[in-house]
Amino acid sequence: MELRQLEYFVAVVEEANFTRAAQRMLVAQPAVSTQVARLERELGQPLLDRSRREVRLTAAGQAVLPFARAALRAVRQARTAVDELTHLVRGVVTIGTVTSHNVDMPRLLADFHHAHPGVEIMLSTDTSDALIDGVRTGRLDVAIASVGAGEVPDGLAVLPTTEQVIDAVVGPDDPWARRRTVGLAALAGRPLISLPVGGGIRRQFDIACASAGVSPRVVFEAATPEALADLAARGLGVAIVPRSVSRARQDVHAIAIVPELRGRLVLAWRAAGPVSPAARALVEMARELLGVGGDE
């Protein structure tokens, strides 16, 4: 059993697709298929169900996955321990972000690359839930994600970048175009436009609705708050967006949600366990750029 086989297996599981896994690992797709097949032959059981559009784990795969992740984590920690001992900033730093945030990422990455040219930077986007999980499992070193106001995800340290109220917005011809406030029960009676499940704002809204005992009806989903507002402006429903979007647009009407909902964007990294010198250097540089302290 080779480390590369475990890396490819975990990548396929997380991407649910051999082609995307190959792109993530920067290799050809047949190489991923071959190595996973060899792992399955060594274990004597199929680990992946390839009969569907999205690859899924078999029962054997579910049993193997935590051990594969633990093995990869142990290897990363061993490398980190050596790097920490020698104070060597090298290797790869992996960063994940939500699609819309207020961090000047080009400046941060440019400054980091200038200071540490020997470190490769890998940047990706995903939902907040996936990003938080990625940092916890070690797939990501740091992430910019949306969480609840005052929330610090278990096992992580966070550096707040901004906190915002969550509003509803409608188009200029909507029946609510003159409304100033709206409750969750009334929102549940309208077609809603929201981020996908896993997005930070969506999670805060869903939690609030569940606590109020109402079931929202989301009819459209889009990847960014700006796209949500675009759909609302066209009269397709009520969009749930951060106030920075609702108050900056002239083509939608902002409505305050009662009770008030808040979310915040944070830079997150692992609070416990080894953190590579490269990741630590990136976090320190982000602190300087943002000019705020972290909740650790």
Side-chain angles (χ1 to χ4, degrees):
M1 188 180 300
E2 298 179 6
L3 185 64
R4 179 173 53 179
Q5 294 172 343
L6 300 179
E7 288 177 328
Y8 290 175
F9 167 62
V10 171
V12 172
V13 171
E14 292 177 347
E15 300 294 338
N17 182 277
F18 277 88
T19 299
R20 290 196 297 269
Q23 292 170 345
R24 170 172 146 185
M25 302 303 295
L26 303 178
V27 298
Q29 190 269 337
V32 174
S33 298
T34 298
Q35 292 300 325
V36 172
R38 286 179 180 173
L39 178 62
E40 290 176 318
R41 285 198 298 270
E42 287 189 33
L43 295 174
Q45 292 288 332
L47 304 179
L48 300 170
D49 179 359
R50 301 162 171 81
S51 63
R52 306 183 184 188
R53 186 171 184 178
E54 285 198 344
V55 178
R56 297 188 180 184
L57 285 167
T58 63
Q62 291 175 345
V64 169
L65 181 61
F67 294 101
R69 282 176 165 159
L72 296 175
R73 188 180 306 115
V75 170
R76 285 193 297 269
Q77 290 175 345
R79 290 171 177 163
T80 297
V82 173
D83 288 346
E84 287 181 328
L85 185 65
T86 58
H87 304 287
L88 185 61
V89 180
R90 65 175 184 183
V92 178
V93 63
T94 55
I95 309 167
T97 75
V98 290
T99 53
S100 179
H101 58 80
N102 67 327
V103 177
D104 188 351
M105 188 59 68
R107 176 184 170 186
L108 175 61
L109 298 186
D111 290 349
F112 183 82
H113 177 69
H114 179 75
H116 307 288
V119 179
E120 180 183 354
I121 302 169
M122 298 186 66
L123 182 65
S124 61
T125 60
D126 213 326
T127 64
S128 291
D129 285 358
L131 294 170
I132 294 299
D133 181 68
V135 176
R136 281 200 185 108
T137 60
R139 182 170 59 87
L140 297 172
D141 290 308
V142 295
I144 298 172
S146 177
V147 300
E151 178 186 1
V152 178
D154 291 342
L156 303 186
V158 300
L159 177 68
T161 70
T162 188
E163 184 169 327
Q164 290 196 63
V165 174
I166 300 170
D167 280 340
V169 298
V170 297
D173 299 325
D174 191 271
W176 287 1
R178 295 183 179 275
R179 191 163 185 163
R180 293 187 176 182
T181 63
V182 64
L184 294 171
L187 281 171
R190 293 290 307 274
L192 300 179
I193 307 167
S194 175
L195 294 172
V197 172
I201 291 175
R202 172 69 176 271
R203 183 160 62 89
Q204 300 310 312
F205 182 69
D206 286 347
I207 290 172
C209 287
S211 298
V214 299
S215 300
R217 181 165 59 96
V218 176
V219 296
F220 289 102
E221 293 181 344
T224 67
E226 291 78 8
L228 301 177
D230 289 341
L231 294 173
R234 296 284 185 174
L236 295 176
V238 183
I240 308 300
V241 300
R243 183 159 289 177
S244 62
V245 172
S246 68
R247 300 301 166 89
R249 308 244 329 203
Q250 301 300 315
D251 56 346
V252 294
H253 172 69
I255 307 172
I257 298 174
V258 180
E260 184 178 86
L261 302 182
R262 284 182 173 270
R264 65 174 177 166
L265 286 170
V266 298
L267 182 77
W269 65 96
R270 286 183 297 283
V275 177
S276 73
R280 189 177 297 111
L282 179 68
V283 170
E284 290 306 314
M285 198 165 287
R287 286 182 188 275
E288 295 177 8
L289 176 65
L290 297 169
V292 291
D295 300 335
E296 298 186 60

